[in-house]
Amino acid sequence: PAPEEPSPDPIVVSSEMKANLLSYLNEMTVNAKNNKQLTCGFDCTDPERQVIHDLITSLSTIVSPSNLAISTPKMKQTQAMGEWELLYTCSHAMLINRSLSGLGRSTSKMGQFQSLRKRLSGSRFLGTAEYIESFGTQGGETAFEVSITGEWYFEEKRHTYTGLPAPCLKMELEKVVYGPTTNGADQWSSLGPVKLTDFLYLDKDLMILQGNSNPSSLFVYKKIGD
C-alpha cells in the first residue's frame, strides 16, 4: 500500500494562515486609504468581512504552539503586554459609533476616525491599560486624540474553537480624557465592546480577540515596535 501522507505541521499551517490574513487586511487598508474611506474595517463590504471571518476562523482552529492563547504552560499576562494597533473590527457598536469612544460620529471632517492603539503594561499583579484613539481628516494630520485608561487582567475560560483553556481579557476602564475634558468611563456606553473579550489567537506580533457576550464582534491587532 502507498505510504500515508504525513500530516501537515501545525506551525507551518498556522504561519501560512496568519500571512494570508495579514496580507488581506493590508490590501483592504490600502484600498480604504486610496478611496478616502475609514480603515480598520469601518467601511469594508460584507463579502470582505466574510473573507476576514473565514481567515480568522481558520487560524484560530489550528492547535499549534504558535498560538500562545492555548499554549502549555498557560499564557502569561506579560505575553500580552506592549502597544497594539487595531487593524480590523466588525463590532456592531463600533461600526455605528464610527470609533470606540463614539466621537467618530461627528459630521466634522476634522473629527474622522484615524487609528486606535492600546497599551497594555503593568506587573504580574496589576495591569495598566490605555486606549489612544486618533481623529482628524482622512489621510491628513491628526486633529485630536482621546485617551481611555484603566486596569486589565485575565479571566480563565475555554477557547471558542478548540475547547482548550484560554484567557479572556477583562478591562476595568476608569477615565476618558480628550482636550481639557475628563469623564468617568462609566458614562461612556460606547466602550462596552472592549470590556470583556476572549483570546482567539496571540503570538509575538498578532492578537485576535472576540467579544465575550457578542461572539460576532472580532478585533485584530498588530504589535507596534517590540
Side-chain angles (χ1 to χ4, degrees):
E4 283 187 24
E5 286 283 322
S7 56
D9 182 342
I11 295 177
V12 173
V13 176
S14 182
S15 177
E16 289 172 353
M17 290 292 178
K18 174 185 171 180
N20 291 343
L21 173 62
L22 289 175
S23 173
Y24 192 85
L25 290 176
N26 183 61
E27 186 181 328
M28 190 186 73
T29 300
V30 170
N31 290 340
K33 287 179 177 176
N34 288 342
N35 295 322
K36 297 283 193 290
Q37 295 176 316
L38 298 190
T39 56
C40 298
F42 282 103
D43 285 331
C44 75
T45 65
D46 286 341
E48 286 173 328
R49 286 196 198 288
Q50 189 59 54
V51 171
I52 295 164
H53 181 272
D54 291 345
L55 287 168
I56 288 173
T57 302
S58 297
L59 177 59
S60 303
T61 49
I62 301 165
V63 179
S64 164
S66 310
N67 187 357
L68 299 174
I70 53 172
S71 65
T72 305
K74 68 182 181 183
M75 179 177 147
K76 300 182 182 74
Q77 288 195 198
T78 50
Q79 292 173 307
M81 287 182 185
E83 185 162 351
W84 301 85
E85 181 175 10
L86 184 71
L87 294 182
Y88 172 79
T89 187
C90 56
S91 159
H92 188 60
M94 284 183 65
L95 297 185
I96 290 172
N97 289 320
R98 308 294 281 166
S99 57
L100 174 61
S101 61
L103 296 175
R105 294 182 78 168
S106 162
T107 52
S108 163
K109 286 188 176 175
M110 296 299 292
Q112 302 294 298
F113 172 90
Q114 288 183 327
S115 67
L116 176 67
R117 307 185 307 281
K118 70 174 175 185
R119 293 179 184 142
L120 300 179
S121 56
S123 66
R124 258 187 333 136
F125 307 105
L126 177 66
T128 305
E130 181 181 20
Y131 286 89
I132 304 109
E133 197 163 41
S134 300
F135 296 89
T137 55
Q138 275 311 298
E141 291 184 13
T142 297
F144 66 96
E145 290 188 333
V146 180
S147 170
I148 304 157
T149 56
E151 295 176 359
W152 67 280
Y153 52 91
F154 282 175
E155 283 188 353
E156 283 304 314
K157 69 177 295 283
R158 293 271 167 189
H159 189 269
T160 300
Y161 293 112
T162 66
L164 295 166
C168 66
L169 180 62
K170 183 152 189 175
M171 293 282 176
E172 299 281 0
L173 299 174
E174 293 156 4
K175 286 194 295 189
V176 179
V177 180
Y178 63 106
T181 308
T182 301
N183 295 137
D186 56 349
Q187 300 170 35
W188 293 64
S189 59
S190 62
L191 305 179
V194 298
K195 286 185 176 175
L196 190 63
T197 49
D198 301 335
F199 278 94
L200 291 183
Y201 183 89
L202 180 75
D203 64 19
K204 63 179 174 38
D205 56 14
L206 181 67
M207 178 188 292
I208 304 176
L209 301 169
Q210 177 184 49
N212 181 273
S213 59
N214 186 0
S216 63
S217 291
L218 297 168
F219 306 86
V220 181
Y221 293 88
K222 70 170 182 182
K223 200 167 201 176
I224 303 170
D226 196 7

